[in-house]
Structures are given as structure tokens and as C-alpha cells.
Amino acid sequence: MSRVVKATAIRRPTFAMAALGLSVLVAGCVPAFREGDDLEPGPVTAPGPAVDPEGDRQVGGDGMVLVFVPDGPFLMGSRDDDPQSSLAERPQREIHLDGYWIDQTEVTNAMYAVFLNDMGNQREAGVRWLTPSKARVHRPLLGAWRISPGFERHPVSGVTWFGARAYCEWSGRRLPTEAEWEKAARGTDGRTYPWGEGVLCDMAHVEPCVSARGTAPVGSYPSDASPYGALDMAGNVAEWVADWYLDDIYAEMPDRNPRNEVGSAVKVVRGGSWSDDARAARAAARGSAVVGATSTAVGFRCALSPSD
Ligand SMILES: [Ca+2]
């Protein structure tokens, strides 16, 4: 499988990340740590095909459970009269997506450590895939990548967009599009949160509801479940998706399977996190960050089309 390395300039995003609680993202975070595996990005090897297909769920070769989102239309974006929404979420559109699979949870530290031990912590666009100072995955001198004890099932954080994409390709999947992420999170009916409306604390791992700052094991909040069974779409860590970010894309995007491939620096980040407020946890909320940025509050999940 060949991969394309985008030579992008890293700059501050054009969108007001702070409004969505993503101010912790830092542009161009080049990790200041010693590396012995300064490899050029090369062929990506997958751990194997998805196995054990069973109805609307299957298990990937990396152990991730995937849930199925059926073909059909859904309401994407926010109504003009929604006081919580931003202009970038409007106009609300009926968008049709072909059926696809999406990871039930965010990719975990345990999964990402396997990937790093296979591929190394490579650079793309001058930035390492993972910034250990913002992650619970680290590597001692001459040792293998390992996980801070107790954090094996927490979502990986501190990864660049490139590091997220590389993992999904390695695992035989891909990053979801922005539209796929939103449909997986809220279903077809335009609901505010994955579970419906109202009451955020105790429903999802979001600030200021969490007493201990930081991530939680994936799937710790059964109430943070979408109509398709995708978990932690409102909270835990926010998530990179495939699309480049544009403020005004909703009025122009096509009705079927939209995917914005136009851009050079800023990618879409979706969902709330342990450091985000209720507004950012809405399924329609749009965040963004430069592709080489890393954060303790941003991770990712992958997707898969039947035709992939
Ligand atoms: Ca999440």
C-alpha cells in the first residue's frame, strides 16, 4: 500500500478552536525527545483483514469492534435557529451516505503501541506521529514502546493527523469522513447528542463533569452511545477525521458522500473531550486543528467501507 506524504505548512487554524474548547492544541508540536527509529515513511503493513463478521458488528485485525452504519440519508449540521450552533454548522442539510463500518470506540493506547512497535514513530511533514509528552505511550532507551500501567484501554492521545491516518491504514481501515463521523454520532434525526437531548454530566466523559482530569477507559460511559452503538462520540477525546476544514463548506458540499479534499494545513476534529464543555460535545459541533498539532485531548477512530 503506497502512501502520500503531504508537504504542508503548519500554521494556526483559521477557525476559533478555543470556542470549541480545543485551545490546548498547539501548532507544530515537534516532540523534543530522542529517537532511534528516524525512518522514512514507507509501506504500511496491516495486522490482517477484518475477521469474524457478525451481523452489524465485526472485529478488526487489531481487535477493534466495528459497528455498521446503514446506507441512507441523515440530517447533518444545525438549524439556523439553534442558539448553540456556529455558522460553520449551517445550513443543516440532508446528506446521503453509503453504508460503512466505524470503530465502536477510539483507538486505544494498547492498540497504538502495537502499531508503533511495528512501524516506529515516523515523521511526516516534519512531525513525529506521536508526541510522548502528550501521550500515555512511551519508549525507554533501547526498549519497545510501552504503555503507562493502567492506561492500556484509554484512548491514545498526542497523535498528529498523520499519525492517525497511518494507524488506520496500517490496520486496513481509513479515517472516517466528517459526514461519516457525524452520522455515526447522531443517527438520522438531527439529535443534539448521541443519546438524544439534554443532561450531559454523567452521560459522557466531558469537562466540567469529570472530577479527575484526563482520559477514561474507552466505553466507560454506556450512555454516550449513538443509535448505531458507537461509544464516546460526545466525550473522552476529540477525534481527527479525514476532511480538510473549511468554515463554509456546508452550503456547497454534495448531497451524497461528501468529503472535502481541498486544503493544506487545517483538518477537522470532531466530538467533545475531557477538556471540552457541553457545546463542543454536541454531535454537530465542528472543531479543527493543524495537521501536525498534538493534544492530550485529541485521538481518533477509524472507518471501513464494504468496498474498501
Ligand atoms: Ca470521542
Side-chain angles (χ1 to χ4, degrees):
M1 185 184 302
S2 63
R3 301 172 63 248
V4 177
V5 178
K6 296 181 183 297
T8 56
I10 295 175
R11 62 179 174 79
R12 288 285 183 184
T14 55
F15 185 58
M17 291 190 303
L20 292 178
L22 292 174
S23 57
V24 291
L25 289 171
V26 177
C29 304
V30 179
F33 65 100
R34 175 196 39 72
E35 276 286 336
D37 57 348
D38 190 6
L39 305 175
E40 290 297 318
V44 174
T45 55
V51 296
D52 299 333
E54 183 179 331
D56 60 357
R57 297 190 178 214
Q58 62 172 312
V59 181
D62 58 353
M64 174 64 78
V65 173
L66 284 81
V67 297
F68 190 69
V69 180
D71 177 279
F74 81 108
L75 288 174
M76 183 172 181
S78 298
R79 299 187 315 273
D80 291 350
D81 62 354
D82 182 345
Q84 291 200 95
S85 70
S86 71
L87 286 174
E89 303 164 22
R90 308 174 199 156
Q92 190 174 64
R93 297 274 306 276
E94 184 175 275
I95 297 295
H96 187 112
L97 298 183
D98 296 338
Y100 59 97
W101 299 88
I102 194 164
D103 293 356
Q104 184 179 38
T105 70
E106 299 129 338
V107 169
T108 66
N109 288 320
M111 293 170 177
Y112 207 81
V114 173
F115 163 72
L116 288 175
N117 282 319
D118 186 29
M119 297 297 295
N121 190 17
Q122 299 189 37
R123 289 184 188 273
E124 285 193 62
V127 186
R128 299 281 185 191
W129 283 339
L130 177 119
T131 302
S133 63
K134 297 180 181 178
R136 297 289 186 174
V137 182
H138 56 90
R139 193 183 68 168
L141 181 65
L142 302 178
W145 288 92
R146 61 183 62 174
I147 306 144
S148 300
F151 286 88
E152 291 82 0
R153 294 193 65 254
H154 286 235
V156 69
S157 61
V159 292
T160 66
W161 181 85
F162 296 109
R165 180 182 67 169
Y167 180 92
C168 289
E169 291 185 354
W170 173 83
S171 66
R173 306 196 294 277
R174 59 176 173 77
L175 283 171
T177 66
E178 182 171 19
E180 287 174 336
W181 192 98
E182 183 166 330
K183 184 178 182 182
R186 69 193 308 200
T188 61
D189 57 10
R191 62 185 57 188
T192 301
Y193 299 110
W195 56 85
E197 306 301 322
V199 186
L200 196 65
C201 283
D202 300 326
M203 299 290 285
H205 195 66
V206 292
E207 202 279 332
C209 309
V210 294
S211 56
R213 296 185 63 78
T215 56
V218 297
S220 295
Y221 290 76
S223 48
D224 188 357
S226 83
Y228 309 109
L231 302 172
D232 292 328
M233 301 295 273
N236 215 358
V237 288
E239 303 170 26
W240 292 110
V241 297
D243 301 54
W244 294 100
Y245 182 83
L246 284 177
D247 274 329
D248 54 358
I249 193 74
Y250 278 27
E252 303 170 6
M253 62 185 173
D255 293 329
R256 297 183 68 91
N257 302 313
R259 175 191 177 101
N260 181 27
E261 297 179 304
V262 179
S264 61
V266 182
K267 286 286 185 178
V268 177
V269 175
R270 283 304 207 105
S273 77
W274 60 265
S275 71
D276 283 319
D277 60 16
R279 183 168 178 262
R282 295 175 303 112
R286 305 179 71 209
S288 64
V290 291
V291 290
T294 56
S295 165
T296 56
V298 177
F300 67 99
R301 76 182 69 209
C302 309
L304 179 70
S305 293
S307 58
D308 285 344

